[in-house]
Amino acid sequence: MKIQYITLPSVWGRDVQHRLFSQSSSTLVVLFPGKNYSCELPLLYYATQGALQHQCDVLQLEYGYQSARTELQTERLHLLVEESVKAIHQIKDQYKQIIFVSKSLGTVVAGIAAEEVDASSPIVQLFLTPLDSTVPYIQNTVNSVIYGTADDLFSEKSVKALEGLQNSEVHAVNRGSHSLEVGNAHDNIKVMADVIGVYEAFFKKHVLSFESKL
């Protein structure tokens, strides 16, 4: 496996370095971090490991405002999308399948980006702790969702909006916060083990079944 970087200029005045794990796969998994939740933190770290174990290539995005060590202004969200799409376009033609894995703010960025990336097949998504504003993208894609029942950024109205969706597998973490934490470290580790189990099932379903059709 090779690790390399896609370095691109950003409107935030600093180059961004998107990390690419390459193992000659036909499937690319793109990770969209949260506002203050990088790809090195547990939920996305283990998503990376799960994708790599299923022989996918993995692109970990970095946002321009993160590289510049500044705050994100809401009205500049579209720039995150533009820069994320530009990074994906650098390599997308090498792949037959693209999967998006996103966390929090990244679920909105991924939802919009999926509409702008011209992939050879529909982009499957894994939404981790989505926001209320992510709901339309969940409703219109094939996906899995993991949310915490105590997450105040994902309302009861949003939860109800996911009921009965044919193309969505929804997993609720009881008492889970926006980081899917439930209390003490021991219980948090149990939750993470369950989340990793969801990752395993997700990649098995969407990667192995796709590869078998090639």
Side-chain angles (χ1 to χ4, degrees):
M1 181 174 63
K2 296 190 300 182
I3 301 176
Q4 52 193 305
Y5 290 88
I6 299 173
T7 303
L8 295 171
S10 168
V11 296
W12 278 272
R14 292 283 299 272
D15 285 352
V16 288
Q17 291 194 321
H18 310 288
R19 185 186 304 172
L20 176 64
F21 298 82
S22 178
Q23 45 190 0
S24 301
S25 177
S26 60
T27 296
L28 174 68
V29 176
V30 184
L31 269 66
F32 293 76
K35 183 177 180 180
N36 297 305
Y37 199 97
S38 73
C39 292
E40 285 73 37
L41 291 176
L43 290 171
L44 294 179
Y45 171 82
Y46 286 110
T48 297
Q49 297 306 307
L52 293 174
Q53 288 167 16
H54 282 82
Q55 305 306 311
C56 302
D57 287 5
V58 176
L59 177 63
Q60 294 181 333
L61 295 177
E62 179 183 40
Y63 300 142
Y65 75 90
Q66 293 174 334
S67 178
R69 303 295 188 267
T70 188
E71 288 295 316
L72 174 66
Q73 297 171 322
T74 304
E75 62 270 18
R76 306 192 87 186
L77 178 65
H78 69 285
L79 297 174
L80 289 188
V81 176
E82 290 176 11
E83 294 189 354
S84 296
V85 169
K86 184 176 181 180
I88 296 165
H89 278 167
Q90 304 298 307
I91 57 173
K92 74 176 182 65
D93 290 342
Q94 303 172 33
Y95 300 97
K96 293 182 169 58
Q97 177 180 219
I98 297 177
I99 293 172
F100 285 176
V101 178
S102 54
K103 167 78 172 80
S104 187
L105 173 74
T107 64
V108 178
V109 180
I112 301 171
E115 298 174 345
E116 299 186 9
V117 173
D118 183 21
S120 57
S121 62
I123 294 175
V124 176
Q125 305 234 24
L126 174 55
F127 296 108
L128 307 174
T129 67
L131 307 179
D132 288 333
S133 52
T134 314
V135 169
Y137 307 110
I138 298 173
Q139 293 172 324
N140 292 303
T141 57
V142 174
N143 62 74
S144 288
V145 178
I146 307 177
Y147 76 94
T149 62
D151 184 355
D152 57 7
L153 297 180
F154 199 63
S155 67
E156 185 63 29
K157 180 180 178 182
S158 292
V159 173
K160 288 185 179 300
L162 305 189
E163 293 179 357
L165 294 180
Q166 299 267 330
N167 294 324
S168 211
E169 293 185 5
V170 181
H171 305 269
V173 175
N174 189 37
R175 299 184 295 113
S177 68
H178 192 58
S179 297
L180 298 184
E181 295 182 340
V182 296
N184 62 54
H186 183 73
D187 290 341
N188 290 339
I189 289 172
K190 287 183 178 179
V191 168
M192 184 56 65
D194 290 341
V195 168
I196 291 172
V198 175
Y199 293 167
E200 174 72 17
F202 175 83
F203 288 121
K204 184 177 293 185
K205 177 179 180 179
H206 294 292
V207 177
L208 296 185
S209 62
F210 182 85
E211 296 286 345
S212 68
K213 297 175 184 176
L214 296 180

